[in-house]
Amino acid sequence: GKTDSIIESIVRKVEKSSMELAGKKATELTVGGVPSTRYIQQFAWDYAKYPNRRPLKELVSLISSGVSAIDEELKQLSNSYGDKQAALQDAKRKKGGNLTTVDLNDVLEEKVVKNLKIFDTEYLKTVFVAVSKSQVEVFENEIYVLGGELVGYGGPDWSGMPHGLGQPQNFGSQVDRHQKKGSPVVPGSLEKVMEDNDSVLYTVTVLKGMYEAGYYEGEEFVPGTKIDLLEAFSKILREKRYSVRENFTYDPSQQGKSAMMMEQLQVEVDNMRSGLTRWCKTHYGEAFVAWMHIKVIRVFVESVLRYGLPVDFTAVLYKVASGKEVMLVNALDKAFGESVKGDDDPDEEEYHDFVLIKFEP
């Protein structure tokens, strides 16, 4: 019963995938070129594929392994198709989105970029920030104080040793740089680049990082560390709902390439959908054939357990109209003996004087 249920679930997965891929163009899946209902009516054991001289355990294992391979392949193909679909949707979002998502190379003009002060040095980095129009006033008012706790601008206290002013000194850990804190934003660096219906694009230059001096613990020197201010500042902007266009570098040669990439992704998605649809049509039949062979094995095993040896029983297939199932079972009970159900447990399975296995193809 367990193997039967597992294989049925795989058959349903293949069937569902095929229907979802085909959409309104979905057609009935077939088994060996015929509808599944006709295949069941004309069922004949496939001795070439499943030799009946093998032990039942080996036969069940052979059938199960074949269907498991179909299930695993379906997972891999579906994941690949899903990833490609996600990439296409992301490309469409960037192409048709506002300044918070669009590929900036497609909307920025070279003459505009040439007039911007863009830095990417050892210490400074200019970042592009897209801001919703409803937030523009707040953003422009607070940009120079954002991240005010990030940078330590403190230095040596020269009031106690004015004679050392301007002379090289080795202060190290004796200097509390965080005694005076501030934002990593370079004063006066905010520039408005462009706007669309929803948002405004700015550039702002910030300190990339800050070095914390090393110090001695006894006779052992602990090396200094560099703090990544850019990442910390970007995080603060994101928390404020400002969109940091990270890792963007203007490249005029990239204009139009996102559209070409989107077209290529569309072609790949269409090809993968067609291929996966064909795969489902082929492997649905294979999985269904395996399922019916497991059904036959189950009927055989349960009949032997019910009636014993030697084997002497007849298997009959009934196709029941919707809502007539109870009438059929009652008729069979009347012909072969009454059904029995435990009085103590209302959920106990009914017992009949015949083997009854229900399924929907």
Side-chain angles (χ1 to χ4, degrees), residues 302-344:
E302 293 195 17
S303 297
V304 170
L305 292 174
R306 177 69 57 84
Y307 304 121
L309 294 172
V311 174
D312 184 17
F313 59 84
T314 301
V316 180
L317 182 70
Y318 285 99
K319 181 181 179 182
V320 187
S322 179
K324 302 289 186 179
E325 296 90 344
V326 175
M327 291 177 63
L328 172 66
V329 174
N330 289 340
L332 291 172
D333 279 329
K334 188 174 181 180
F336 298 109
E338 293 298 323
S339 65
V340 179
K341 187 172 183 179
D343 297 329
D344 298 332

Side-chain angles (χ1 to χ4, degrees), residues 172-191:
S173 60
Q174 299 174 26
V175 175
D176 182 9
R177 296 192 64 183
H178 291 279
Q179 193 171 14
K180 182 174 179 59
K181 296 181 178 180
S183 169
V185 178
V186 175
S189 65
L190 182 67
E191 290 187 272

Side-chain angles (χ1 to χ4, degrees), residues 84-104:
K84 193 65 70 175
Q85 271 191 315
L88 176 60
Q89 293 303 317
D90 187 53
K92 287 181 177 180
R93 182 177 60 84
K94 289 180 179 178
K95 181 67 179 173
N98 55 29
L99 293 171
T100 62
T101 57
V102 73
D103 187 339
L104 295 180

